[in-house]
Amino acid sequence: MSTQFRASYYQHNGSSITTAPSLHSCSSFIISKLPDHPLSGNKRSLLLGTSLSFNSNKETTSVIRRRKRKNFEHGIVASSSNVATPIWESWKPQKGSSNPSLSDILWPSAGAFAAMAILGKMDQILAPKGFSITIAPLGAVCAVLFATPSTPAARKYNVFMSQIGCAAIGVLAFSIFGPGWLARSAGLAASIAFMIYARAPHPPAASLPILFIDGVKLHSLNFWYALFPGAAGCIILCLIVS
């Protein structure tokens, strides 16, 4: 039956047997062979529309599959290129960065020198009262403010939010766990989580909890440590930068 149909189809269209028929031409041939009756016109249009929609859907599906396969192959190539990057690449200077000029070296250094000189003079004034405003984290703050002023860590919001928040976390960790490794670990982890949550990354502030836990002279400040000496010193540094 199928052989007779195939032969009659090729005879009807006058094509050679080596040429494969398309779905649209085959459906048109089948519809032309339907018997005539009053509803045959409607049925023919319905069958023809169904065959055309099926053909277009089939072509669209094949195009989508080819695109997905192509994107997948490109993704494999991209990922393999990342894996091929040498592990020692991060130990080299950043590519494309130009050599710093003399002014790029002198001005940040001079600003840090002036900032530490002013803080040192204030230490002399506060020494009779047993206070000192110069702490190690302020040196890291100077490096951020003077050497990389355009980075997010140098923004005023990041500086003061992190300095106040991390210092308070250090006091809280010491109050709960006492002196020791557990207070240091909890204080540092909580400080990093706070900076991420507050969208205020400022690396120098992460050392404030450890400084308070290990600094016996700072314990008397209690929660005033959130404002002094870290935040107070940052006010002076920001005024110098401005």
Side-chain angles (χ1 to χ4, degrees), residues 13-220:
N13 287 277
S15 57
S16 61
I17 298 179
T18 57
T19 306
S22 63
L23 182 61
H24 173 66
S25 59
C26 185
S27 60
S28 301
F29 173 73
I30 295 173
I31 294 171
S32 64
K33 294 298 182 181
L34 289 176
D36 295 332
H37 51 79
L39 299 178
S40 61
N42 296 332
K43 288 187 177 182
R44 288 177 180 176
S45 59
L46 178 61
L47 288 174
L48 183 59
T50 304
S51 63
L52 290 176
S53 62
F54 176 78
N55 192 18
S56 60
N57 292 336
K58 185 177 180 180
E59 292 177 354
T60 305
T61 305
S62 62
V63 171
I64 294 175
R65 288 179 179 175
R66 284 198 297 270
R67 288 180 180 176
K68 287 183 177 180
R69 190 181 301 110
K70 187 176 181 181
N71 295 335
F72 178 75
E73 292 174 355
H74 286 316
I76 294 294
V77 172
S79 61
S80 62
S81 62
N82 294 334
V83 174
T85 304
I87 59 175
W88 58 83
E89 190 68 26
S90 61
W91 293 83
K92 299 179 182 179
Q94 185 178 1
K95 293 182 179 180
S97 59
S98 58
N99 294 329
S101 61
L102 184 61
S103 61
D104 293 337
I105 299 174
L106 291 180
W107 283 114
S109 303
F113 178 84
M116 284 294 107
I118 294 174
L119 293 178
K121 189 63 177 179
M122 295 185 65
D123 281 342
Q124 294 179 355
I125 299 173
L126 296 174
K129 298 182 180 180
F131 293 108
S132 176
I133 196 173
T134 304
I135 56 176
L138 292 181
V141 175
C142 286
V144 171
L145 294 179
F146 293 103
T148 57
S150 60
T151 58
R155 297 181 70 247
K156 305 301 185 296
Y157 169 80
N158 294 37
V159 172
F160 290 102
M161 178 65 72
S162 298
Q163 288 282 334
I164 296 174
C166 293
I169 289 173
V171 178
L172 186 62
F174 178 78
S175 302
I176 297 175
F177 302 106
W181 67 269
L182 185 58
R184 297 190 203 99
S185 302
L188 179 60
S191 297
I192 294 175
F194 169 76
M195 287 188 288
I196 295 174
Y197 177 78
R199 292 176 294 178
H202 184 68
S207 60
L208 291 176
I210 300 175
L211 179 66
F212 180 83
I213 293 169
D214 294 339
V216 180
K217 295 181 180 180
L218 298 174
H219 293 171
S220 59

